[in-house]
Amino acid sequence: MKLPFSESYKIKMVEPIRRSTREQREQWIEDAKYNLFNLRSDQVFIDLLTDSGTGAMSQMQWSEMMLGDESYAGASSYFKIKNAIREITGFEYFLPTHQGRAAENVLFSTILKENDIVPGNSHFDTTKGHIEFRKAHAIDCTIDEAFITTLDHPFKGDVDLNKLENVLKAHPASQIPVIIITITCNSSGGQPVSMKNLREVKKMADQYGITVFFDSARFAENAYFIKIREEGYRDKSIREIVREMFSYADGMTMSSKKDAIVNMGGFIGFNSKELFDRATMYNILFEGYISYGGMSGRDMNALAQGLYEGTDFDYLETRIKQVAYLGGLLKDYGIPIQFPFGGHAIFVDAKRFLPHLPKEEYVAQTLAIELYIEGGVRGVEIGTLLADRDPGTGLNRYPDLELMRLAIPRRVYTNNHMDYIAAALINVFDRRDKITKGFKIVKEAPILRHFTVELEKA
Ligand code: F0G
């Protein structure tokens, strides 16, 4: 008998989670103004709100925490993280930050001005938020295939080179401080970018004299997909692939809460000493001195260790196969999900799940609320609420994809939990015709409104 696949770790410490009744959940979500971010964590049974900062650290990471050096300057923890970043990504210069958006804040404070253009592949919401907050524009050049959820394309995070070139031709280089490539591309469904595409984007950027940065939160998952799906990479190690990927960038921003498997942390990597020097001022201003930038020494130690573990093939295989296990259960039942399965999450196509609901009633949010009520499973809307209003017209932006994301924390849940999640969603699917009303907004913030929005039944 062929031995089945199984996890590359065992469990040493457990955290209890609590079941609840449907009646309790109906009350709790009403009290939370139908915003899943407002729920208390003990009102949630399985939490798929995000894979960010929710992973389980290893025994080696916890051991590293004890060795943290809390010196203000010159701490050994600083050198540990510096060495890990250099070894894994190849970037010579780096600045620590407290999380990914802080890295974006420092980078964009350094290089972005009003009316600038930042092309890329479906910028993540904080990236877009930072760009638009500075009255600059994010232009999405993702390939069209990414927006057809039924299409099985291996690299739906790829940049459409024609779209990119049109943007580069239409504006002077002085107006395009950077191209941001998000690996994997969260907004298009945790979809990877191929090595070929990264190489070609860099080549084009060089022709036009434009800097390329990778938004690298899930760079290791991206490398795994390159190894599995792209010709010529099957025999290369994840670390070799990662080094080649980053050789096509001038720098990176990192939310370490994802692929470095820590609960908090981030950094910026640079090739250019000159850019590093300019960014240093903002890092000190916003984050802290350059040898800790918002992280304690113990956090930096855990992060350095996490970078090694996160780029280990066995770990990545366990992780991505678990996401695919959930995807397979949903696919087999005919639930409309994004294909192929993403690296960190399964994305449910809410427009096809609830085709009878009008788009003005926040279809993916409605689905996420129903899933919570059904089984205490908390997913997240990646749709109209997240897309915010157009800063120019003030009207709702209706994105091509209206998704409910089920993000799987790293090394946290078992496949029994995946079975439970699938059953809860299948129950909602079976009664989808009875879900005839969505929601309307009662209160919202002008930017990143999904975190605090208040809703009522439409
Ligand atoms: N870039 C990407 C691709 C992300 O997915 C995130 C965060 C960030 C940047 C910002 O990093 O949270 O450390 O400030 N994504 C989380 C998510 C919030 O749920 O996908 P951060």
Side-chain angles (χ1 to χ4, degrees):
M1 185 177 180
K2 186 170 179 283
L3 295 177
F5 180 78
S6 81
E7 291 78 4
S8 60
Y9 48 80
K10 57 183 180 174
I11 296 165
K12 186 172 328 217
M13 190 188 280
V14 295
E15 177 181 349
I17 51 177
R18 211 168 302 157
R19 288 176 199 278
S20 53
T21 65
R22 189 184 191 96
E23 290 66 38
Q24 283 176 316
R25 293 191 292 271
E26 278 169 348
Q27 187 60 53
W28 290 336
I29 192 68
E30 187 186 334
D31 294 346
K33 314 280 189 216
Y34 296 101
N35 182 341
L36 294 141
F37 286 95
N38 286 338
L39 290 171
R40 293 164 46 128
S41 63
D42 60 4
Q43 296 170 336
V44 174
F45 182 51
I46 298 181
D47 204 348
L48 309 182
L49 185 69
T50 179
D51 63 319
S52 179
T54 53
M57 290 209 296
S58 68
Q59 58 180 4
M60 289 77 78
Q61 285 178 292
W62 282 107
S63 310
E64 280 296 332
M65 297 279 285
M66 299 303 292
L67 300 174
D69 177 354
E70 306 302 343
S71 307
Y72 193 95
S76 65
S77 302
Y78 169 76
F79 293 104
K80 212 170 240 181
I81 182 176
K82 185 176 170 59
N83 288 340
I85 291 170
R86 187 195 288 130
E87 189 178 334
I88 287 175
T89 70
F91 290 114
E92 197 59 36
Y93 303 99
F94 100 101
L95 287 169
T97 64
H98 77 275
Q99 63 181 93
R101 70 200 68 183
E104 292 166 358
N105 187 29
V106 170
L107 177 69
F108 291 137
S109 296
T110 312
I111 61 174
L112 199 64
K113 57 185 192 315
E114 202 171 317
N115 279 327
D116 276 353
I117 306 283
V118 182
N121 57 340
S122 302
H123 308 68
F124 183 64
D125 58 335
T126 57
T127 319
K128 200 172 190 167
H130 271 294
I131 293 169
E132 293 181 347
F133 178 72
R134 290 171 174 80
K135 299 195 165 45
H137 309 280
I139 300 190
D140 186 0
C141 301
T142 314
I143 54 170
D144 291 336
E145 287 89 332
F147 304 104
I148 309 165
T149 56
T150 49
L151 194 81
D152 208 346
H153 182 291
F155 292 104
K156 279 186 167 175
D158 276 1
V159 174
D160 182 321
L161 294 165
N162 287 328
K163 288 187 195 173
L164 179 64
E165 185 145 42
N166 287 340
V167 176
L168 302 189
K169 273 187 184 150
H171 304 274
S174 59
Q175 205 189 344
I176 310 177
V178 67
I179 297 170
I180 300 277
I181 308 298
T182 307
I183 52 173
T184 59
C185 186
N186 193 353
S187 314
S188 78
Q191 301 291 327
V193 183
S194 66
M195 191 72 89
K196 180 166 180 278
N197 196 248
L198 294 176
R199 195 181 300 126
E200 286 170 347
V201 166
K202 179 69 172 126
K203 197 170 150 207
M204 186 180 288
D206 284 347
Q207 279 162 9
Y208 286 84
I210 292 166
T211 301
V212 177
F213 262 66
F214 293 167
D215 174 354
S216 314
R218 301 179 183 85
F219 73 93
E221 292 172 5
N222 201 93
Y224 174 88
F225 284 121
I226 289 176
K227 182 175 169 75
I228 299 300
R229 295 184 185 164
E230 191 163 347
E231 215 182 298
Y233 288 94
R234 193 157 278 266
D235 297 328
K236 292 225 164 28
S237 71
I238 295 291
R239 299 251 171 86
E240 285 171 320
I241 294 171
V242 165
R243 282 299 285 261
E244 186 182 341
M245 282 162 49
F246 285 119
S247 75
Y248 305 126
D250 300 295
M252 67 184 284
T253 53
M254 178 70 187
S255 167
S256 307
K257 303 167 72 173
K258 285 84 170 175
D259 276 359
I261 331 178
V262 288
N263 303 116
M264 194 53 76
F267 61 88
I268 318 174
F270 309 84
N271 279 334
S272 157
K273 168 92 164 60
E274 187 267 330
L275 191 54
F276 163 81
D277 284 341
R278 282 202 285 143
T280 296
M281 179 182 87
Y282 294 101
N283 217 77
I284 296 172
L285 203 55
F286 299 143
E287 293 298 293
Y289 184 58
I290 58 164
S291 66
Y292 70 90
M295 280 188 282
S296 43
R298 54 183 176 272
D299 292 341
M300 290 194 279
N301 274 20
L303 201 174
Q305 173 66 22
L307 282 174
Y308 292 108
E309 291 178 22
T311 49
D312 172 70
F313 179 79
D314 286 347
Y315 152 73
L316 281 167
E317 186 181 38
T318 299
R319 152 122 188 104
I320 290 177
K321 284 202 166 164
Q322 182 172 56
V323 176
Y325 175 75
L326 174 63
L329 295 173
L330 301 177
K331 178 183 174 214
D332 289 347
Y333 201 77
I335 291 180
I337 53 181
Q338 157 90 297
F339 290 107
F341 308 138
H344 67 295
I346 295 298
F347 291 71
V348 183
D349 186 338
K351 276 195 223 166
R352 285 171 48 233
F353 196 111
L354 296 170
H356 47 280
L357 272 196
K359 66 178 191 306
E360 292 77 11
E361 294 184 7
Y362 307 102
V363 184
Q365 180 69 8
T366 304
L367 178 56
I369 290 164
E370 289 295 338
L371 178 63
Y372 172 70
I373 291 172
E374 183 66 37
V377 177
R378 172 159 71 170
V380 74
E381 190 251 26
I382 307 269
T384 308
L385 280 180
L386 184 75
D388 272 334
R389 290 175 188 273
D390 185 287
T393 65
L395 296 173
N396 263 338
R397 289 190 277 215
Y398 292 103
D400 291 332
L401 293 179
E402 180 77 23
L403 303 167
M404 173 180 68
R405 184 182 75 171
L406 304 174
I408 314 295
R410 294 166 181 78
R411 307 191 286 210
V412 169
Y413 292 113
T414 68
N415 282 5
N416 281 336
H417 293 113
M418 301 301 121
D419 290 336
Y420 178 99
I421 298 158
L425 192 58
I426 284 169
N427 287 348
V428 178
F429 193 60
D430 286 345
R431 62 176 172 80
R432 65 191 181 283
D433 293 343
K434 298 201 187 75
I435 303 169
T436 52
K437 283 221 167 299
F439 290 84
K440 61 181 182 206
I441 292 180
V442 185
K443 203 173 152 202
E444 68 185 296
I447 215 162
L448 298 176
R449 65 180 176 179
H450 57 289
F451 287 119
T452 53
V453 71
E454 295 183 3
L455 302 166
E456 65 183 26
K457 286 185 180 159

